[in-house]
Amino acid sequence: MQTRPGKIVSSVLRGFRRILDFVFPQNCIACDGEIQVGKHFLCADCKADIGFIRQPFCFQCGVPADLSYAYPHEEFVCGVCRKNPYQFDQARSLGFYDTVLRTTIHHFKYRRQMGVLLEMDYLLEKYFEEDSGYCQGFTVAPVPLHFNKMKERGFDQAFLIARQVAKTLKLPLEGGMLRRVKATEPQATMTRTERARNIKGAFEVNRPELVSGKNILLIDDVFTTGATVNEAAKTLKKNGAGKVYVFTLGRVVVGKGVGL
Ligand SMILES: [Zn+2]
Ligand SMILES: [Zn+2]
């Protein structure tokens, strides 16, 4: 039988283990498989499962080309962009917002498992390895959260991604370029038109002189219909921004991903 102090010690140890498990999980956060404990959150298989989005994709919005069509050249523009062009000049995403990337994003967005960011950092470095000169001369800016959301969540995931993108591409980061002036409804079940209406007028620039004449790489976590980044890009362009490129970690592609 354990003595009283012994019980206290073992319950303290159990508690400590739980905290440790949360900070550095013992199993892969996506499939529960084995991982190298200490600095990884995903197993090698799950990591390999995050398919990077590479050419061919729409030159403007970055949607992967449907390979069942014979897409001709590198700068093809998809039907959506031809019919209803976005305000940003170009958008790219790291990977499909399918189960693994979705689980990973959710772990830091909703479960505040900040250590997962290490995995994100690794993925971003790997993604930009092929194109380390991407967006040279641009300033990196995150799509801001509304103050209430920020208060509720305690951190801003787009800012954290933007910080890592800036570090990886060796670009300046400007966290306070935009502010969110409108608390918007959750967009999960909305169509592209409904989302555009919902987000209209949601952003303002803080200091126009930070925007004017700058080429900007706008960062968000997930690109679903592009309504949010489009509205942010519109606001930046109205305030004199030069080129506005968009980069997101995840990309929802019909038939390939799941909505938020
Ligand atoms: Zn796994
Ligand atoms: Zn397109």
Side-chain angles (χ1 to χ4, degrees), residues 115-126:
V116 179
L117 277 171
L118 293 175
E119 216 62 88
M120 300 282 172
D121 295 353
Y122 164 84
L123 289 170
L124 286 167
E125 275 163 26
K126 196 110 190 95

Side-chain angles (χ1 to χ4, degrees), residues 207-235:
R207 284 160 54 199
E209 69 272 20
L210 288 180
V211 176
S212 185
K214 286 230 172 86
N215 291 334
I216 295 155
L217 178 57
L218 197 57
I219 310 288
D220 209 358
D221 54 353
V222 183
F223 186 115
T224 307
T225 64
T228 304
V229 284
N230 196 52
E231 184 66 21
K234 196 168 106 188
T235 309

Side-chain angles (χ1 to χ4, degrees), residues 139-210:
T139 301
V140 179
V143 170
L145 272 181
H146 189 267
F147 178 70
N148 293 345
K149 264 264 176 64
M150 176 73 192
K151 225 167 69 180
E152 171 192 313
R153 209 174 273 163
F155 68 98
D156 180 345
Q157 76 280 0
F159 174 79
L160 295 171
I161 300 165
R163 194 175 61 180
Q164 186 58 26
V165 169
K167 194 174 153 211
T168 307
L169 293 173
K170 300 186 176 64
L171 297 176
L173 171 70
E174 183 50 72
M177 207 175 253
L178 287 167
R179 65 169 181 272
R180 201 139 175 165
V181 289
K182 199 172 112 182
T184 47
E185 298 294 318
Q187 306 198 110
T189 56
M190 293 184 192
T191 62
R192 183 181 171 187
T193 321
E194 287 165 345
R195 283 172 186 239
R197 205 177 301 136
N198 183 42
I199 200 86
K200 199 168 191 290
F203 302 104
E204 276 176 10
V205 301
N206 275 324
R207 284 160 54 199
E209 69 272 20
L210 288 180

Side-chain angles (χ1 to χ4, degrees), residues 58-63 77-81 86:
C58 167
F59 186 73
Q60 197 191 358
C61 77
V63 70
V77 174
C78 77
V80 175
C81 290
Y86 289 104

